[in-house]
């Protein structure tokens, strides 16, 4: 994959959802982290890359750029209204904020900011700050910088945060101690699972159409996905039968996997569904450098299903007994092995917003940071089109 932006070779990109108490996703944080601390990062190049991933017609974006010169240049150049910067509190006095607004104060200011206060819409604190009762002197709404589990998200909101960054899940799903998990798939999800099984067995089209008719809303949602700009099919798909004729059995599996991953009616899982979609799209983009013709759809499904245990609250080993999936996907999700496991590790490194983990994962796959970063920008843009 050719990168459109030369600056991507100097960066480790990371990303995280921003969501409120109702777990409604409000936007995306894009971290543009220099692989070398002293690297010069031109504002115009950073802004071009960020705008590709976070286009103005979609939800707002927050840019994390941990470099003073780049922040000063971005402020001077002016940002589009849908983008905000994280500005460390200790740098505020060294940056020109005149005429700017909508940014995040990263860390609490110990004294009132005066006229500079109008530049900020919220104060971003770590969970440890919230636990210590840290307060900002400017009365700004509090947001929590990063959470890594449902418990941390709950705690951040209980301690006064109005929004948080980060996934409310960590690792694989583990049932509460002493509780036996019953893999009960609800009626709407059962339709999708039945369709996936029928596609896997290449069942007659009439039988699959009859299954889909059990839930008319699924047919509507499937057609919306198929006709989205994110995937650019050459013609409009008008029916399930038309989709089968156009795509065939193998490619239809990916769409059913997308339906299954985004069909949960548990509102607390909305940030997880957001992340699962972007994992699938990211892994699909990463697969484009492979010669294997099956890898594209399989890696898309692997990324999507990598959070399915949390979405359905069932361990993978138990879950995959009911849901058919390719063997290489099963290896990655259940055993943490096989050809797709290193790609999943790379995705997690980007979610962790860790340059060290990012670089290590790139080296393990022998892919360049530029290739990985371009894949992520494309995936985030496509995800915004599908939300």
């Amino acid at each position: 994959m050719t990168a459109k932006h030369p600056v991507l070779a100097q960066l480790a990109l990371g990303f995280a959802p921003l969501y409120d108490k109702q777990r409604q996703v409000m936007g995306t944080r894009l971290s543009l982290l220099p692989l070398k601390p002293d690297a010069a990062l031109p504002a115009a190049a950073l802004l071009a890359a960020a705008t590709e991933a976070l286009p103005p017609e979609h939800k707002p974006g927050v840019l994390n750029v941990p470099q003073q010169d780049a922040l000063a240049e971005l402020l001077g150049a002016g940002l589009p209204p849908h983008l905000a910067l994280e500005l460390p509190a200790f740098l505020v006095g060294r940056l020109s904020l005149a005429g700017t607004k909508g940014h995040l104060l990263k860390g609490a200011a110990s004294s009132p900011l005066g006229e500079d206060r109008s530049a900020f819409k919220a104060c971003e604190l770590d969970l440890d700050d919230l636990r210590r009762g840290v307060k900002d002197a400017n009365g700004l709404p509090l947001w929590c910088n990063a959470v890594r589990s449902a418990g941390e998200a709950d705690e951040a909101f209980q301690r006064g945060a109005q929004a948080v960054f980060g996934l409310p899940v960590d690792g694989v799903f583990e049932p509460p101690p002493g509780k036996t998990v019953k893999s009960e798939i609800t009626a709407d999800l059962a339709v999708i699972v039945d369709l996936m099984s029928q596609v896997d067995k290449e069942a007659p089209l009439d039988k699959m159409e009859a299954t889909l008719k059990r839930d008319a809303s699924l047919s509507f949602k499937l057609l919306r996905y198929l006709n989205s700009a994110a995937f650019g099919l050459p013609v409009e798909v008008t029916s399930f039968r038309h989709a089968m004729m156009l795509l065939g059995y193998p490619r239809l599996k990916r769409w059913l996997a997308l339906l299954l991953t985004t069909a949960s009616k548990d509102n607390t899982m909305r940030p997880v569904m957001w992340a699962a979609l972007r994992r699938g799209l990211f892994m699909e983009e990463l697969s484009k450098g492979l010669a294997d013709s099956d890898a594209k759809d399989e890696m898309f499904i692997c990324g999507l299903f990598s959070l399915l245990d949390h979405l359905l609250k069932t361990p993978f080993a138990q879950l995959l007994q009911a849901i058919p999936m390719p063997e290489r996907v099963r290896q990655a999700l259940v055993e943490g092995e096989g050809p797709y496991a290193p790609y999943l590790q790379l995705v997690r490194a980007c979610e962790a917003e860790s340059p060290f983990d990012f670089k290590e994962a790139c080296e393990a796959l022998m892919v360049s940071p530029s290739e990985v970063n371009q894949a992520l920008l494309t995936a985030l843009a496509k995800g915004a089109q599908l939300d």
Side-chain angles (χ1 to χ4, degrees):
M1 178 184 294
T2 302
K4 303 174 187 176
H5 312 283
V7 74
L8 295 180
Q10 300 174 261
L11 299 172
L13 294 187
F15 68 105
L18 168 69
Y19 51 96
D20 61 18
K21 291 182 181 180
Q22 288 72 44
R23 275 49 173 191
Q24 186 69 45
V25 177
M26 302 161 57
T28 303
R29 174 167 65 194
L30 180 65
S31 291
L32 301 106
L33 311 171
L35 289 169
K36 295 180 179 179
D38 57 349
L41 301 177
L46 294 177
L47 194 53
T51 306
E52 180 181 342
L54 308 171
E57 62 269 23
H58 298 290
K59 290 178 180 176
V62 175
L63 305 184
N64 171 26
V65 184
Q67 192 180 79
Q68 182 177 343
D69 290 346
L71 288 173
E73 195 176 344
L74 284 165
L75 286 168
L79 292 176
H82 75 295
L83 294 180
L85 292 172
E86 291 183 340
L87 300 175
F90 70 89
L91 285 181
V92 169
R94 307 176 204 173
L95 298 171
S96 176
L97 299 176
T100 66
K101 60 181 181 178
H103 299 300
L104 296 181
L105 182 66
K106 192 170 185 178
S110 57
S111 58
L113 296 174
E115 293 181 358
D116 284 342
R117 185 196 183 283
S118 62
F120 300 100
K121 62 182 175 183
C123 176
E124 187 181 317
L125 300 177
D126 292 334
L127 184 55
D128 285 342
D129 293 331
L130 295 175
R131 287 167 176 161
R132 293 196 305 270
V134 173
K135 301 293 183 183
D136 177 65
N138 300 277
L140 293 166
L142 297 181
W143 290 6
C144 189
N145 178 49
V147 301
R148 303 296 181 197
S149 68
E152 287 189 356
D154 289 340
E155 183 182 355
F157 289 124
Q158 289 166 5
R159 293 183 181 277
Q162 295 183 18
V164 303
F165 291 101
L167 282 184
V169 296
D170 184 38
V172 297
F173 172 79
E174 294 183 3
K179 183 176 180 180
T180 302
V181 174
K182 295 181 180 179
S183 186
E184 297 178 356
I185 297 178
T186 58
D188 52 343
L189 297 183
V191 172
I192 305 172
V193 172
D194 287 349
L195 275 171
M196 292 183 71
S197 180
Q198 290 168 5
V199 168
D200 199 54
K201 297 172 183 175
E202 298 190 359
L205 182 55
D206 290 344
K207 184 176 181 179
M208 289 191 287
E209 284 186 315
T211 301
L212 189 61
K213 286 178 181 177
R214 285 160 41 193
D215 191 330
S217 66
L218 288 178
S219 180
F220 173 81
K221 193 172 183 181
L222 178 62
L223 291 178
R224 183 177 77 83
Y225 281 147
L226 289 172
N227 290 314
S228 69
F231 291 96
L233 292 177
V235 298
E236 181 179 1
V237 180
T238 56
S239 66
F240 181 74
R241 182 177 290 270
H242 187 199
M244 279 299 303
M245 293 172 62
L246 186 65
L247 300 174
Y249 287 98
R251 291 217 69 203
L252 191 60
K253 290 179 184 178
R254 59 180 281 121
W255 299 105
L256 295 175
L258 179 56
L259 276 182
L260 183 60
T261 307
T262 58
S264 174
K265 292 182 170 58
D266 181 354
N267 289 339
T268 66
M269 289 287 105
R270 282 183 292 209
V272 183
M273 288 186 277
W274 180 98
L277 172 59
R278 281 148 183 83
R279 283 188 177 193
L281 293 167
F282 190 11
M283 288 188 66
E284 178 186 42
E285 291 300 317
L286 291 170
S287 76
K288 292 181 178 179
L290 304 178
D292 187 338
S293 59
D294 294 327
K296 180 178 179 181
D297 291 332
E298 289 187 1
M299 284 179 65
F300 178 76
I301 292 171
C302 185
L304 273 176
F305 279 3
S306 63
L307 292 167
L308 195 62
D309 56 335
H310 289 282
L311 288 168
L312 300 186
K313 297 179 172 58
T314 306
F316 275 124
Q318 184 176 345
L319 189 62
L320 301 191
Q321 293 174 11
I323 301 173
M325 67 180 56
E327 173 60 18
R328 291 182 290 190
V329 174
R330 188 200 65 79
Q331 288 176 341
L333 300 183
V334 178
E335 300 165 7
E337 299 177 352
Y340 301 154
Y343 289 93
L344 197 53
Q345 191 60 37
L346 174 57
V347 174
R348 292 181 179 128
C350 293
E351 289 175 341
E353 300 172 307
S354 166
F356 175 82
D357 293 338
F358 174 94
K359 187 176 180 181
E360 189 175 67
C362 288
E363 290 173 352
L365 285 165
M366 294 186 290
V367 294
S368 70
S370 184
E371 291 176 274
V372 173
N373 289 331
Q374 183 60 59
L376 179 54
L377 294 183
T378 304
L380 291 176
K382 286 186 175 180
Q385 292 171 342
L386 286 167
D387 284 338

